[in-house]
Amino acid sequence: MLRRTRILATAGPSTPPAVLRELIRAGADAFRLNFSHGTHDSHAAMYAAIREASAAEHRPVAILQDLGGPKIRTGEIPQPFDVAPGETLTIARGNLPGGPGRIFCNFDALFAAAKPGHRLLVNDGHIELEVVSSTPDVLETRVLQGGTLSSHKGINLPGVTIQTSAVTPKDEADLIFGIGLGIDLVALSFVQTPDDVNAARRIATAAGAPDLPIIAKIERPQAVDGIEAILDVADGVMVARGDLGLELPLEKLPAAQARVTRAARARGVPVIVATQVLESMVREPRPTRAEVTDAAHSVDERAAAIMLAGETAAGQFPVRAVQMLQAIICEAEGALTSPMAVAADAEASRRPGRALCEAAVALATRSGAIAIVAITKAGKTPRMLASMRPNAHILAATTHQRIAARLSLTWGVTPFVTDEITIPKVRDVLRARQMVAAGDVVVFVSMHPRLTEEGRNFIHLEQM
């Protein structure tokens, strides 16, 4: 109950079943399955292991499927080789093996978008190339910054719009597979416009999951510029600072992160901050001072969640990384001196459901309530409460395990499952699980969009 900012850990080679339980005990609220790597069989095995660990720890955790998206990569390079500044390097369209002087790439849109004078950043920017000439099949480049080229390294084309959908045929197959598994949320990579999110929504609906929450990963400048339109259709956003930091000049990255966070917070849409949060802990038992400050800053901005990637997926200290992030979050939240005012747009302010939640927050503030207990079937009430960033803790009572899992990645919400969502039953569960203490003041709230639904819209103040 004490920590409001959620921790999203990436599952991978460093997280066998025994470690999964340790990660949950350390503070992981959700797990990410990175579909840029692995097979359907390996992801299915990890999914089952996470569900088993969650049940064993008696704690709902969310499973987020992260689709690979249209990532531009180098082709096969059987023998890695070095390139030096001033050398020429040919990038040809196709799937053939590459070698010194000539590599291949099968991403057709790259050859349509890249023009003379454009820069290419390879392998997270470690290698920089300048396009000298271009045809529909070949890019001739000059090396500006050298390094070692090897297979399947990312290629970025900063500042250039690439005409491609965020949902590739592989992503569609992966999404349908993930829905069949029972994933709780999906993250869509390289979103540029609302159409990308809508395309994923259509696939999810056809696969029988129309209400699947879709997280738009903000990795390109076009998404930052059009963030308001993307927020109209997405259920959440992730500031994926890895590729965004390559697509933008690095000095512009903090402002871009702040803009996305502010815009999402104003809409009541959750924000996940990702990439290189505690990157040094992939190899070291302690983070750098700068990493600690960066993570604390995300808490100050009221991000809904902070994501660990390689730290837990492939790092040497996965459990310690989660423990460290939890300690940073708790300390940063303890230093917050005032609630963050969140202004809703005019249309949202007029909705009866929001009015009920605003009244519940005001009542909790005036009465000194320790918690607001949201009675929910689909998760809307606790999510709306979370968007207001109240000082009181938000406890979400639901009869559905799936809803509890999805809510575990929502700022400030502690979900729990109960057989009934009547106040007497929820009160008994709160006491039995010691989620509140005798004498604590709590506010119960329930909302339904139709005011004619008897017994579904109420606020109730009580001392336990």
Side-chain angles (χ1 to χ4, degrees), residues 3-7 29 298-299 303-306 329 333 411-412:
R3 176 169 51 80
R4 292 170 167 84
T5 310
R6 298 314 186 194
I7 297 175
D29 301 291
S298 296
V299 175
I306 299 174
I329 291 172
E333 289 184 346
W411 183 94

Side-chain angles (χ1 to χ4, degrees), residues 46-359:
M46 184 62 75
Y47 174 92
I50 293 170
R51 292 297 190 212
E52 185 177 342
S54 172
E57 293 298 319
H58 305 288
R59 185 168 160 224
V61 298
I63 299 179
L64 179 143
Q65 178 187 30
D66 192 345
L67 300 176
K71 179 76 171 179
I72 310 173
R73 296 186 183 276
T74 61
E76 286 290 335
I77 301 176
Q79 296 294 328
F81 63 94
D82 292 335
V83 292
E87 292 182 354
T88 59
L89 179 69
T90 300
I91 305 176
R93 188 157 65 93
N95 288 310
L96 297 175
R102 189 179 187 87
I103 62 172
F104 290 84
C105 174
N106 63 0
F107 198 93
D108 294 348
L110 170 66
F111 297 88
K115 303 300 179 186
H118 286 162
R119 292 183 308 127
L120 299 178
L121 299 179
V122 185
N123 190 18
D124 288 334
H126 293 297
I127 296 173
E128 184 175 355
L129 311 173
E130 181 184 15
V131 178
V132 176
S133 65
S134 63
T135 72
D137 297 303
V138 175
L139 299 178
E140 298 291 350
T141 73
R142 178 171 60 250
V143 179
L144 301 180
Q145 179 176 302
T148 301
L149 273 171
S150 57
S151 301
H152 310 304
K153 296 303 180 184
I155 301 175
N156 290 83
L157 188 58
V160 178
T161 299
I162 298 177
Q163 301 299 328
T164 183
S165 170
V167 185
T168 68
K170 178 183 182 299
D171 293 330
E172 181 173 357
D174 287 344
L175 178 54
I176 293 170
F177 172 76
I179 290 171
L181 279 181
I183 51 116
D184 299 307
L185 312 95
V186 64
L188 187 61
S189 296
F190 298 106
V191 168
Q192 295 187 99
T193 69
D195 291 340
D196 293 325
V197 179
N198 292 332
R201 185 90 62 195
R202 287 191 293 270
I203 295 168
T205 299
D211 62 340
L212 179 69
I214 297 176
I215 309 298
K217 293 175 67 176
I218 308 303
E219 301 175 271
R220 287 188 169 149
Q222 295 83 359
V224 177
D225 293 339
I227 188 61
E228 284 77 12
I230 291 170
L231 289 169
D232 285 339
V233 296
D235 300 292
V237 292
M238 178 187 293
V239 185
R241 301 179 299 182
D243 278 282
L244 186 58
L246 295 173
E247 297 281 342
L248 284 171
L250 270 176
E251 64 272 17
K252 295 182 180 294
L253 182 59
Q257 177 177 327
R259 176 180 174 183
V260 172
T261 301
R262 283 195 302 268
R265 205 173 53 225
R267 299 287 191 91
V269 175
V271 181
I272 302 169
V273 174
T275 315
Q276 293 183 331
V277 173
L278 302 178
E279 180 75 7
S280 63
M281 291 194 74
V282 172
R283 295 167 300 277
E284 302 292 336
R286 288 170 57 86
T288 67
R289 281 72 166 171
E291 288 168 341
V292 171
T293 302
D294 174 53
H297 179 66
S298 296
V299 175
D300 293 343
E301 289 191 321
R302 301 325 197 258
I306 299 174
M307 190 186 92
L308 298 174
E311 299 96 328
T312 55
Q316 299 178 34
F317 308 97
V319 176
R320 190 173 296 184
V322 173
Q323 292 170 335
M324 177 58 67
L325 183 55
Q326 167 143 290
I328 295 167
I329 291 172
C330 289
E331 188 68 23
E333 289 184 346
L336 296 175
T337 57
S338 62
M340 175 168 283
V342 180
D345 58 45
E347 181 182 352
S349 296
R350 290 192 295 268
R351 293 171 186 161
R354 183 174 182 91
L356 271 170
C357 288
E358 287 177 343

Side-chain angles (χ1 to χ4, degrees), residues 372-379 381-382 385 394-400 403-404 407 413-423 425-427 429-430 433 435 444-446:
I372 304 172
V373 182
I375 308 294
T376 186
K377 285 189 175 181
T381 303
L385 288 167
I394 304 168
L395 307 179
T398 180
T399 55
H400 303 290
I403 298 302
L407 287 171
V413 175
T414 300
F416 63 96
V417 179
T418 176
D419 295 337
E420 302 173 10
I421 49 176
T422 61
I423 287 183
K425 178 63 177 180
V426 171
R427 183 193 299 121
V429 172
L430 291 173
R433 300 185 187 178
M435 301 179 78
F444 293 87
V445 60
S446 174

